Amino acid sequence: MTPEQVLSQSFTLPNGSVIRNRLFKSAMSEALGSRDGHATPELARLYRTWADGRIGLCVTGNVMIDRRALGEPGNVVIEDDSGLAALQTWASEATHGGTPCWVQLNHPGKQAPKGLNRENVAPSAVPFRPDMQAFFPTPRALTAAEIEGLVQRFAKAAAIVKQAGFSGVQIHGAHGYLVSQFLSPHHNQRDDEWGGSAEKRRRFVLAVYQAMRDAVGPDFPIGIKLNSADFQRGGFTEEESMDTIKALAEAGIDLIEISGGTYEAPAMTGVKTAGTSIKDSTRQREAYFLDFAAKARQAVRTPLVVTGGFRSAEGMAQAIESGAVDLVGLARALALEPDLPKRLMAGQAPRYQVRPIRTGIGPVDRMGLLEVTWYTKQLKRIGGGLPTRPKTPALWVFCQFLWAQMRAGKRRKPTRLRAS
């Protein structure tokens, strides 16, 4: 088959849900929520654009489960059904034409910039590396009661996502956010039932999955985005990731998206930092984490997605034909070119190539946060009905981001994280 024929094939999940083609829109933070954390017309317009672009399966940007713990200004937050009407509008547009759209649920843990939240929390009070401590505060360690409360927040948010009319839900267990922090021996230095061994570090993600499953029933799809590794010294390893994948598969997870890295070691963006350089062989094969996915395929039959590095229809089709993955994940390319799936399935090349974003300031350029911020700017343009601007200067975007953080921090009052 030609690459476009491979990508145009449908795929059926084990629960019977049908995905119309093999192109998977991976989560990107849109920062288009209202001041009170509700969905907006801009979000609806953005996701209608991707639905019209014929993506096979669409996953939203990280929707937070606690308004006291945002990852960036403009996050949508689901704590209760107060924003249900707006969520229903978003879901209706995002699923236009039969497009499945899943909501990614997240808690940032320690990975939230200074000034945004009154305090950051994490499994343990482990600071960021020295050159990033000016941007990220040292978190407070969660109590056991707070951890139990967060598990229930994930479950409640999942139930509301289903009620709103979305097609599924994804747990964000990658890129250094809270679930990822629990899995990492670097970030999770607890010695209670939530840490101290690889099995105990996995307890949080398994508890979140089970609570969500209980809340949405057996047929509503639940997936997870999971690191193949953290690419940090003393962090989450490939061996631990493989064991986590096996445990999630046994628990009944519907889909596993494989990525890697954190803000401190942003391997998911292809940025070179100490210990995270991408091999030439990987660049030629395009996908950053395909070797790991091939190993995972030997261990589990759960459907797999790899996100990161794909540049051409040929590279995407080869990944699928290899049997290592069932879907190919796209993110930044869709922020530049929202109708890319149509082009790829018509045998046309992408208009733009994704390249690392640089300000020329070393510590800033080594943070995954810069990539998130720059592409968020492109999503805002699409949500506003405007064309993307691939040549937007990175430094200008970063300065705007810092100003927004300061303004958001001034609007917040001190509060202590409660157990539920």
Side-chain angles (χ1 to χ4, degrees):
M1 289 189 291
T2 64
E4 52 266 31
Q5 289 173 327
V6 173
L7 298 179
S8 297
Q9 295 176 100
S10 64
F11 181 77
T12 303
L13 295 177
N15 70 352
S17 299
V18 178
I19 300 168
R20 63 189 175 191
N21 62 57
R22 301 304 182 97
L23 299 172
F24 173 100
K25 184 258 163 192
S26 188
M28 291 178 284
S29 180
E30 315 93 354
L32 287 173
S34 67
R35 183 172 292 186
D36 55 3
H38 293 166
T40 61
E42 289 76 18
L43 272 172
R45 183 182 295 114
L46 171 62
Y47 279 81
R48 173 63 180 266
T49 302
W50 278 320
D52 289 345
R54 300 295 294 173
I55 193 69
L57 172 57
C58 192
V59 179
T60 74
N62 47 355
V63 170
M64 297 300 171
I65 60 166
D66 190 333
R67 66 182 64 257
R68 297 161 300 181
L70 303 181
E72 51 272 324
N75 283 148
V76 172
V77 182
I78 301 178
E79 293 183 312
D80 50 41
D81 62 3
S82 62
L84 183 60
L87 286 173
Q88 289 172 328
T89 299
W90 183 14
S92 176
E93 293 296 283
T95 58
H96 179 75
T99 303
C101 185
W102 298 6
V103 172
Q104 185 188 74
L105 296 178
N106 191 18
H107 186 294
K110 65 187 284 184
Q111 201 162 258
K114 275 186 178 178
L116 181 59
N117 304 314
R118 284 300 179 180
E119 64 172 352
N120 286 356
V121 295
S124 303
V126 178
F128 274 75
R129 69 185 193 218
D131 65 331
M132 295 180 68
Q133 290 174 16
F135 300 101
F136 297 94
T138 299
R140 173 178 65 80
L142 287 159
T143 67
E146 287 171 338
I147 293 170
E148 295 281 3
L150 290 173
V151 170
Q152 294 308 312
R153 280 180 175 270
F154 273 99
K156 186 170 186 178
I160 295 170
V161 165
K162 180 180 179 180
Q163 184 181 359
F166 286 97
S167 315
V169 69
Q170 184 190 62
I171 302 164
H172 198 340
H175 299 172
Y177 293 106
L178 185 68
V179 174
S180 176
Q181 290 162 33
F182 267 97
L183 289 166
S184 168
H186 172 71
H187 299 292
N188 182 354
Q189 299 179 10
R190 303 178 73 93
D191 58 5
D192 60 5
E193 66 268 34
W194 301 102
S197 69
E199 184 176 10
K200 288 183 177 180
R201 288 192 294 273
R202 286 195 293 274
R203 185 172 176 228
F204 183 71
V205 67
L206 291 171
V208 167
Y209 169 74
Q210 191 57 58
M212 290 170 66
R213 177 58 70 203
D214 292 343
V216 300
D219 299 325
F220 193 69
I222 301 177
I224 188 168
K225 187 168 192 170
L226 188 71
N227 274 357
S228 58
D230 286 353
F231 300 95
Q232 280 184 282
R233 182 176 297 175
F236 189 54
T237 65
E238 286 195 358
E239 292 74 20
E240 287 193 34
S241 181
M242 194 66 69
D243 287 341
T244 303
I245 286 172
K246 292 176 184 176
L248 287 164
E250 184 177 352
I253 200 92
D254 292 296
L255 183 70
I256 300 173
E257 179 188 3
I258 296 170
S259 190
T262 68
Y263 279 10
E264 293 181 275
M268 62 286 196
T269 67
V271 174
K272 281 193 172 186
T273 61
T276 67
S277 59
I278 306 300
K279 296 178 181 178
D280 288 340
S281 60
T282 299
R283 293 190 184 281
Q284 292 171 8
R285 200 172 49 248
E286 297 193 6
Y288 299 154
F289 311 107
L290 196 57
D291 283 346
F292 180 82
K295 296 175 187 175
R297 170 60 77 225
Q298 298 302 311
V300 301
R301 301 314 303 168
T302 303
L304 301 176
V305 183
V306 162
T307 299
F310 287 112
R311 301 187 302 276
S312 68
E314 290 76 15
M316 298 172 203
Q318 287 171 11
I320 293 169
E321 290 183 310
S322 75
V325 297
D326 302 291
L327 307 170
V328 292
L330 303 172
R332 293 174 292 170
L334 293 171
L336 299 176
E337 199 171 349
D339 64 345
L340 180 60
K342 277 186 178 179
R343 293 180 59 81
L344 292 173
M345 290 186 292
Q348 300 172 353
R351 296 185 185 92
Y352 307 107
Q353 286 295 326
V354 172
R355 294 180 175 84
I357 304 301
R358 297 281 189 269
T359 64
I361 303 172
V364 173
D365 292 346
R366 290 192 293 271
M367 288 191 291
L369 180 63
L370 175 61
E371 293 272 340
V372 171
T373 303
W374 192 91
Y375 283 97
T376 295
K377 198 74 172 177
Q378 303 301 324
L379 302 186
K380 288 184 176 181
R381 292 188 61 81
I382 301 170
L386 300 172
T388 59
R389 283 185 175 171
K391 296 183 180 180
T392 303
L395 184 57
W396 171 245
V397 172
F398 185 70
C399 290
Q400 287 182 314
F401 169 78
L402 291 180
W403 174 245
Q405 299 295 318
M406 289 188 290
R407 291 182 63 191
K410 289 178 180 179
R411 289 197 298 263
R412 297 192 173 276
K413 296 180 180 180
T415 185
R416 186 167 182 81
L417 189 64
R418 298 185 296 274
S420 62

